Amino acid sequence: MIKKPLILGIESSCDETAASLVTENHEGKPVVLSNIVSSQTDIHKEFGGVVPELAARSHIEKIDWIVKKAIDESEKKIDEIDAVASTAGPGLVVCLSVGLSFGKALAKSLGKPFIAVNHLEGHALSPKISSQLDYPYLLLLISGGHSQFLNVINFGKYKRLGTTIDDALGEAFDKTAKLLGIEFPGGPKIEVLAQRGDPNKFDLPKPILNKGGCNLSFAGLKTAVLKISKNIKNEQDKFDLAASFQKTIEKILYKKTKIAFDAYEKQSSPKKKVLVVAGGVAANKNIRNMLKDLCVSENYQSIFPPIELCGDNAAMIALVGLEKYKLNKFNELDFPAKPRWALDEAAIFLKGAGVKL
Ligand code: KG4
Ligand code: ZN
C-alpha cells in the first residue's frame, strides 16, 4: 500500500500556540491525527488585548512540548513525518518567527521538506476537514484580524471581492465586549449575553451599507456602542446592547453577502454556487444560522468548519501543507515571516481615512 503523506503543522501567528498531525485516508480525505491548541488568554486579559512580546515569549516557552504532544497523540513517530508546515503570515512578526524558525529547524534536522503556509489559506481550507470542498467557491473570512469576501478560484488562486476598510469583525466584537466590561477576548461572550437581550432595543449604525459594494466597515459601530455603554444602568441594558450589536452585524452581513453573491457570479459564473464561511467569528451561531438561511433562499450551498476549527489551530495549517506537499510545493529555509501576506496579492490596500469606495 502506498504511504500517505504525514504532515506536521505549526501555528503561532497570534496568541495560540498550536501543532497538529494530518494525513489522508485511501479516498484522499484529510484525517486529523492530533490537534493541540494552547491559548494565551490568561497572559493578555489584564492588558485587554494581545501584547506581541509577551505572546512571542509564551510561544517560545511552549512550542517544543506542544509539538511533542501533537506527535505523541497522533501515535506516530517523529521520523514518519514527511514534511513540516508552519504559518509564515499574516500575523505578528515576533510571533510568526517562533513557529517558522521551529518548523524550519525541525524540517532540516529530519531531512524533510519545509512548507510555508498562509494562515488565511488555512482558514479558507478549514471546512475541508469535515466536508467535501470543490473549487470554485465564495469565501467569507471573518476573524480577529481580517474580514473579506474572496472568490476562491482554485487552490492558491484568490480574487478579493470585498474587505473591511477599518476594523475586522472579530475586532468589533472584542471592542464591544470591552466596552461592556467583558474580559478579553470577549467576542464569544457577546454571543452568550445576547441570548438574554432584546435585539431591537438599540438602533446602531450600519456603516457603508448602501455603498462600497461588498466592502465592509465596523469602526462606526464601536463609537455608537461607546456612547450607549456610558448610560448602561443594569445587567439587562448590557444584554440588550450585546443583542442589538449582534443583530446589527447580522443585518450588515446579510446585505453585504447578497452583494457578494452578485459580484461572485459575475466574476466566475459557477456551475454550483457555494458559500464557505470561516475564521473565528464563523463560530457565532446567530451569524451561522442567518447565513445558512440566506444561502437556502439564494440557492447556495453553505459550508462551515466545525465550531472547534473556526478559531486558530494547526490542523488547518497542516491541511494546507498536505495540499502543497501533493503538488511538490516546498519552500526554502530562508522563507521570511510575512506579517501582511495577503491571499490576493494583487488587491489594493483598502484601509484608513480617505479610502475611496
Ligand atoms: O480566527 P481567529 O481565531 O483569529 C484570527 O485569525 O484573528 O478569530 C478570533 C476572533 C476574535 O476576535 C474572537 O472574539 C472572535 O474571533 N470570535 C467570535 C466568536 N468566537 C470567536 N466572535 C463572535 N462570536 C463568537 N462566537
Ligand atoms: Zn486566524
Side-chain angles (χ1 to χ4, degrees):
M1 214 162 76
I2 302 165
K3 180 188 183 297
K4 291 289 189 180
L6 178 66
I7 311 296
L8 166 66
I10 299 175
E11 158 64 34
S12 70
S13 64
C14 191
D15 59 343
E16 261 92 27
T17 320
S20 166
L21 266 89
V22 169
T23 184
E24 62 179 19
N25 64 17
H26 59 279
E27 291 170 331
K29 297 228 161 59
V31 178
V32 178
L33 299 176
S34 62
N35 184 25
I36 312 295
V37 182
S38 170
S39 180
Q40 306 175 354
T41 42
D42 282 350
I43 297 173
H44 303 292
K45 70 180 173 202
E46 68 175 289
F47 303 98
V50 177
V51 184
E53 281 69 25
L54 295 182
R57 192 188 301 173
S58 173
H59 287 310
I60 292 168
E61 283 165 7
K62 287 188 210 160
I63 190 127
D64 51 353
W65 72 260
I66 295 277
V67 169
K68 183 172 183 311
K69 201 164 154 54
I71 297 170
D72 289 348
E73 282 200 11
S74 74
E75 298 186 349
K76 298 282 179 187
K77 297 208 174 59
I78 193 165
D79 54 11
E80 290 179 79
I81 292 170
D82 293 301
V84 182
S86 292
T87 301
L92 299 164
V93 71
V94 283
C95 295
L96 290 165
S97 304
V98 179
L100 196 56
S101 314
F102 192 95
K104 287 173 180 174
L106 187 57
K108 174 87 181 156
S109 67
L110 293 172
K112 297 289 164 62
F114 170 73
I115 301 168
V117 174
N118 184 312
H119 177 88
L120 304 178
E121 188 151 55
H123 281 302
L125 246 66
S126 60
K128 197 170 176 176
I129 289 168
S130 55
S131 308
Q132 176 71 28
L133 195 63
D134 301 314
Y135 300 103
Y137 59 87
L138 173 65
L139 171 68
L140 170 57
L141 177 64
I142 36 179
S143 70
H146 299 267
S147 298
Q148 301 180 351
F149 287 103
L150 292 141
N151 174 1
V152 184
I153 301 162
N154 213 324
F155 178 61
K157 213 165 167 216
Y158 301 87
K159 271 227 166 296
R160 196 187 73 196
L161 301 170
T163 184
T164 177
I165 59 166
D166 40 55
D167 293 349
L169 185 51
E171 202 180 344
F173 266 91
D174 293 337
K175 284 177 177 171
T176 294
K178 200 171 171 185
L179 291 170
L180 292 178
I182 303 167
E183 255 179 10
F184 173 85
K189 288 178 203 136
I190 292 279
E191 183 178 2
V192 179
L193 298 198
Q195 283 169 1
R196 301 166 68 181
D198 172 3
N200 301 313
K201 173 81 179 283
F202 298 106
D203 190 22
L204 297 169
K206 301 178 204 68
I208 68 165
L209 193 68
N210 297 313
K211 63 173 184 176
C214 60
N215 287 306
L216 300 154
S217 167
F218 301 109
L221 262 163
K222 176 187 58 193
T223 317
V225 170
L226 171 67
K227 273 195 199 141
I228 299 169
S229 66
K230 286 186 177 151
N231 297 315
I232 278 186
K233 293 189 186 60
N234 51 44
E235 286 293 284
Q236 191 56 50
D237 282 349
K238 238 188 199 184
F239 301 151
D240 292 344
L241 187 48
S244 302
F245 170 80
Q246 190 172 266
K247 189 82 207 169
T248 306
I249 296 297
E250 283 174 49
K251 287 181 182 164
I252 296 171
L253 288 182
Y254 177 89
K255 173 96 190 268
K256 292 292 183 176
T257 305
K258 274 182 108 168
I259 298 170
F261 284 167
D262 285 344
Y264 171 63
E265 285 162 38
K266 261 191 207 127
Q267 195 174 77
S268 119
S269 315
K271 275 195 213 98
K272 193 174 152 206
K273 297 190 277 188
V274 177
L275 174 71
V276 168
V277 188
V281 187
N284 184 291
K285 290 185 202 66
N286 282 53
I287 293 176
R288 273 172 110 100
N289 290 337
M290 179 278 293
L291 289 169
K292 272 183 196 162
D293 291 347
L294 173 64
C295 283
V296 169
S297 67
E298 300 284 324
N299 278 325
Y300 267 72
Q301 182 193 353
S302 57
I303 301 182
F304 297 82
I307 300 264
E308 67 279 8
L309 293 179
C310 287
D312 289 347
N313 64 83
M316 66 184 194
I317 304 304
L319 178 62
V320 176
L322 177 65
E323 299 289 308
K324 289 192 166 187
Y325 183 91
K326 292 194 283 182
L327 296 167
N328 281 321
K329 285 191 165 191
F330 305 124
N331 298 99
E332 298 297 330
L333 293 181
D334 62 355
F335 194 96
K338 294 181 168 194
R340 284 181 169 234
W341 193 3
L343 282 179
D344 177 0
E345 294 188 272
I348 53 163
F349 188 66
L350 257 194
K351 238 179 188 183
V355 163
K356 289 209 172 54
L357 292 169

